[in-house]
């Protein structure tokens, strides 16, 4: 195995430029030629389908499914032969107890909602905005090297793998770095389809205004989203001469104001204790369950000599090798651990988000303040007021920050979305998460990384007019869960009046704790 041949490191399309004034606005022509892009996708999908067909033949001939069913699991839960599907509305449905427990590495799935997501009777949605995470990707460059090292170590130290580990005898590490996978591309196409289908009435009023943070996978996700949106529109027998849609790309780089990518608050990025609160909470929790897992693995695989890092890597390889499959076929790495261990892993990842970028970090919510102030501007139709991360060169122009549009699309990262949700106060009902014992998602008032920021995770911000109501109403839906929003006195359908909703965002309007960002 050669690591060099396996790595596909994508350069940042927008580049890194500290000047606030420099804008990267992708015209339709610069984005991609619609026909060539479609042909590219067709070729890749055809190739993927052919590969998958050959893989199925091999799997059948080797009776690999029988091996999985008989010996991959060391506890009482059994493996079915699932029909894995990923749909626009319900997302990834494949052994849900397992695949919905991968933290932020879970593919998007429809989260249970106490309230109906349907547009209420006698209501008309007048504004809709989606904040989306990019689709499923390869590991980051640093992580993919670490994963490769763990696999190489195992295959070097162990002569012959048996039972549920037997697949490692022939496993070849081929994951790249940072790129969107074919599965991730399809996720974002599905997301565009779902957005159109839900808000097709608004789509008749104009083209969605789309922004993307400047990382390659984020830009490509925005393109895939727009492709899905347009496909759904064509299926609805309507056309849009503006497709392919322009995408405003906001560069990611030191000193560049970008509400879709954190990086300006130096105390948060580098200071003590803010920059290490999340990882410290994770390490404390790992000590409560990981040693037992390490002991079992080293007992099962003599001479493996797995460490804590190796063991977490093996957990991570489950979701990453799953989304590396164009069809999202569950990876054999997933069956190396019990459901109970996956619940602990899921909570471990949730701790990283909660204390790293969310309510558990004193400066976490502040990183999302700029975006929330942009949301206020769009909902109210008034100019942005912000002194944190807003790029006033962009937001001061009606071309790069138009007001009065019916549909808006923003594509970002999981960490930034976590901060934005926190700045909105969506999880104020969640008590500080314990770092010594596991808490269920229900006990945590709906907070978990898998429920909030999975691959291709989405949040809808809706404004509506309803018969009998004097004021416009606002509600937020995160991964198909209507958020209760007690901070603004939401009604039984999860809606607040626009005035009370904006009043509830005083934390953002006042700049959060931005004054602490440059304390030194």
């Amino acid at each position: 195995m050669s690591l060099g041949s396996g790595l596909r490191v994508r350069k940042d399309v927008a580049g890194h430029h500290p000047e606030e004034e420099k804008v990267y606005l992708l015209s339709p022509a610069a984005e991609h030629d619609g026909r060539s892009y479609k042909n590219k996708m067709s070729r890749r999908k055809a190739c993927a389908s052919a590969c998958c067909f050959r893989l199925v033949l091999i799997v059948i001939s080797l009776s690999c499914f029988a091996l999985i069913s008989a010996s991959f699991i060391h506890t009482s839960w059994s493996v079915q032969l699932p029909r894995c599907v990923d749909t626009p509305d319900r997302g990834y449905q494949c052994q849900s107890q397992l695949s919905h427990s991968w933290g932020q590495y879970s593919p998007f799935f429809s989260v249970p909602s106490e309230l109906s997501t349907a547009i209420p009777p006698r209501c008309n949605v007048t504004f809709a905005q989606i904040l989306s995470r990019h689709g499923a990707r390869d590991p980051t460059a640093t992580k993919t090297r670490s994963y490769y090292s763990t696999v190489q170590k195992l295959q070097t130290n162990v002569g012959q793998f048996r039972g549920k580990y037997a697949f490692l005898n022939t496993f070849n590490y081929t994951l790249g770095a940072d790129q969107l996978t074919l599965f991730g591309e399809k996720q974002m196409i599905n997301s565009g389809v779902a957005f159109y289908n839900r808000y097709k009435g608004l789509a008749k009023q104009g083209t969605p205004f789309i922004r993307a943070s400047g990382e390659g996978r984020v830009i490509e996700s925005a393109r895939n989203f727009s492709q899905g949106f347009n496909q759904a529109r064509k299926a609805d027998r309507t056309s849009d001469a503006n497709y392919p849609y322009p995408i405003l790309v906001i560069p990611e780089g030191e000193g560049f104001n970008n509400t879709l990518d954190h990086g300006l608050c130096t105390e948060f990025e580098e200071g003590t204790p803010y920059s290490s609160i999340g990882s410290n909470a994770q390490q404390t929790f790992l000590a409560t369950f990981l040693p037992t897992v390490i002991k079992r693995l080293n007992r099962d695989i003599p001479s493996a000599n797995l460490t804590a890092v190796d063991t977490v890597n093996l957990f991570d390889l489950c979701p990453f090798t799953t989304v590396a499959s164009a069809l999202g076929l569950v990876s054999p790495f997933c069956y190396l651990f019990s459901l109970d261990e996956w619940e602990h892993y899921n909570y471990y990842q949730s701790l990283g988000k909660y204390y790293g970028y969310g309510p558990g970090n004193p400066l976490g919510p502040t990183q999302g303040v700029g975006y929330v102030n942009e949301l206020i501007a769009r909902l109210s139709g008034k100019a942005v007021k912000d002194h944190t991360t807003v790029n006033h060169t962009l937001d001061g122009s009606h071309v790069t920050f138009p007001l009065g549009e019916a549909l808006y699309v923003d594509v970002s990262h999981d960490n930034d979305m976590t901060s934005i949700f926190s700045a909105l106060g969506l999880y104020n009902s969640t008590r500080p998460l314990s770092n010594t014992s596991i808490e269920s998602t229900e006990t945590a008032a709906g907070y978990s990384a898998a429920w909030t920021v999975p691959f291709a995770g989405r949040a809808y911000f809706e404004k509506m007019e309803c018969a009998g109501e004097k004021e416009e109403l606002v509600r937020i839906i995160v991964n198909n869960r209507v958020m209760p929003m007690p901070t603004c006195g939401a009604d039984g359908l999860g809606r607040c009046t626009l005035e009370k909703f904006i009043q509830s965002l005083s934390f953002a309007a006042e700049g959060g704790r931005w004054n602490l960002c440059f304390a030194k």
Side-chain angles (χ1 to χ4, degrees):
M1 292 185 295
S2 170
L3 179 61
S5 62
L7 280 176
R8 305 187 307 277
V9 182
R10 169 171 297 212
K11 294 182 179 179
D12 186 340
V13 173
H16 296 293
H17 301 277
E19 313 92 270
E20 188 181 23
E21 291 72 20
K22 192 162 186 179
V23 179
Y24 289 78
L25 180 62
L26 297 189
S27 65
E31 274 187 78
H32 60 279
D33 177 86
R35 288 171 295 179
S36 64
Y37 182 68
K38 183 176 180 181
N39 292 338
K40 169 192 170 187
M41 289 295 297
S42 298
R43 289 195 299 271
R44 292 178 70 176
K45 288 178 181 177
C47 180
S49 298
C51 292
C52 289
F53 179 73
R54 290 194 294 269
L55 176 62
V56 169
L57 292 179
I58 295 172
V59 166
I60 291 173
S61 66
L62 295 178
S63 301
C64 191
F65 282 147
L67 270 176
I68 293 175
S69 300
S71 59
F72 266 16
I73 310 306
H74 74 277
T75 57
S76 58
W77 66 293
S78 61
V79 177
Q80 304 299 317
L81 301 183
R83 179 175 176 269
C84 299
V85 295
D86 186 68
T87 64
D89 294 324
R90 298 189 64 230
Y92 186 64
Q93 302 295 329
C94 185
Q95 293 186 272
S96 298
Q97 278 187 290
L98 172 64
S99 64
H100 298 176
S101 297
W102 298 339
Q104 69 274 17
Y105 302 141
S106 294
F108 160 77
F109 61 92
S110 183
V111 170
S113 180
E114 299 87 349
L115 304 175
S116 172
T117 59
I119 306 299
R122 305 176 67 199
C123 289
N124 178 42
V125 176
T126 59
F127 168 101
Q129 175 171 311
I130 180 175
L131 172 63
S132 174
R133 186 187 179 192
H134 56 74
R137 58 165 172 80
D138 288 328
T140 60
T142 300
K143 287 288 187 69
T144 205
R145 291 188 177 93
S146 183
Y147 299 161
Y148 171 80
S149 295
T150 292
V151 171
Q152 186 179 53
K153 173 182 174 179
L154 272 170
Q155 294 180 327
T156 299
N157 290 354
V158 180
Q160 184 73 19
F161 295 96
R162 303 183 184 280
K164 61 191 175 188
Y165 307 97
F167 73 94
L168 287 167
N169 287 317
T170 55
F171 178 76
N172 183 36
Y173 189 92
T174 58
L175 298 180
D178 293 304
Q179 285 191 336
L180 209 61
T181 66
L182 280 171
F183 179 83
E185 293 179 11
K186 185 61 163 55
Q187 280 188 296
M188 294 305 297
I189 292 172
N190 281 343
S191 184
V193 170
F195 192 66
Y196 175 83
N197 288 339
R198 183 173 180 84
Y199 304 113
K200 61 176 64 179
L202 293 179
K204 296 176 182 177
Q205 300 179 25
T207 299
F209 180 77
I210 306 174
R211 300 189 305 178
S213 196
E215 184 72 31
R217 61 181 178 270
V218 181
I219 300 169
E220 189 171 355
S221 290
R223 291 172 180 163
N224 295 139
F225 179 95
S226 66
Q227 180 186 349
F229 186 92
N230 189 59
Q231 283 180 358
R233 179 172 232 157
K234 290 172 67 176
D236 203 25
R237 298 184 179 179
T238 60
S239 61
D240 189 349
N242 294 318
Y243 182 80
Y245 309 125
I247 298 173
L248 175 65
V249 177
I250 308 177
E252 299 179 5
E254 185 177 350
F256 200 101
N257 287 31
N258 183 347
T259 57
L260 299 176
D261 180 65
H262 65 91
L264 291 179
C265 180
T266 55
E267 281 298 296
F268 177 75
E269 302 295 335
E270 306 167 4
T272 302
Y274 307 113
S275 63
S276 57
I277 294 175
S279 58
N280 289 344
Q282 287 185 298
Q283 292 306 311
T284 299
F285 182 69
L286 277 182
T288 69
F289 83 98
L290 199 65
T292 302
V293 180
I294 297 171
K295 182 178 180 180
R296 174 180 62 77
L297 291 174
N298 282 323
R299 183 186 66 238
D300 288 355
I301 318 172
S303 73
N305 297 322
L306 293 171
T307 64
V309 171
D310 293 326
T311 304
V312 173
N313 284 351
L314 291 176
F315 272 110
D316 290 353
L317 279 167
C318 158
F320 278 114
T321 50
T322 295
V323 301
S325 161
L327 298 178
L329 300 177
V330 176
S331 165
F333 279 103
C334 303
Y335 304 118
L336 302 185
F337 306 98
S338 69
L339 285 180
D340 179 70
E341 289 167 347
W342 278 117
E343 289 175 6
H344 281 74
Y345 172 84
N346 189 52
Y347 189 70
Y348 158 79
Q349 297 291 10
S350 297
L351 286 173
K353 297 306 173 191
Y354 183 87
Y355 286 105
Y357 299 89
N361 189 308
L363 287 179
T366 296
Q367 310 315 304
V369 160
Y371 186 87
V372 174
N373 286 330
E374 289 182 326
L375 175 63
I376 292 173
R378 286 173 170 176
L379 287 169
S380 64
K382 299 178 181 178
V384 181
K385 294 181 180 179
D386 179 82
H387 62 271
T388 64
T389 60
V390 161
N391 188 310
H392 289 284
T393 301
L394 298 180
D395 288 13
S397 168
H398 71 277
V399 175
T400 51
F401 194 80
L403 298 176
E405 300 291 331
L407 295 173
Y408 293 92
V409 178
D410 290 322
V411 188
S412 182
H413 302 273
D414 53 341
N415 294 336
D416 303 282
M417 290 174 66
T418 299
S419 293
I420 290 166
F421 294 160
S422 302
L424 287 163
L426 296 186
Y427 298 96
N428 284 2
S429 298
T430 300
R431 297 190 302 270
L433 299 181
S434 170
N435 62 4
T436 57
S437 61
I438 191 171
E439 295 183 32
S440 67
T441 303
E442 292 72 22
T443 302
Y447 187 88
S448 85
W451 278 35
T452 56
V453 289
F455 282 134
R458 57 183 81 151
Y460 294 160
F461 303 89
E462 298 178 339
K463 185 170 67 170
M464 62 187 72
E465 297 175 344
C466 300
E469 298 288 345
K470 295 181 180 180
E471 299 181 62
E472 292 178 299
L473 301 172
V474 176
R475 72 172 175 176
I476 300 174
I477 302 172
V478 177
N479 299 319
N480 291 354
R481 179 191 179 212
V482 178
M483 302 306 295
M485 297 204 300
T487 54
C488 55
D491 63 14
L493 297 176
R495 304 171 304 177
C496 293
T497 65
L498 176 59
E499 181 181 10
K500 289 185 177 179
F501 177 70
I502 292 176
Q503 287 175 352
S504 74
L505 302 177
S506 59
F507 175 81
E510 295 168 4
R513 297 189 176 95
W514 195 251
N515 60 302
L516 300 180
C517 286
F518 311 99
K520 294 180 180 178

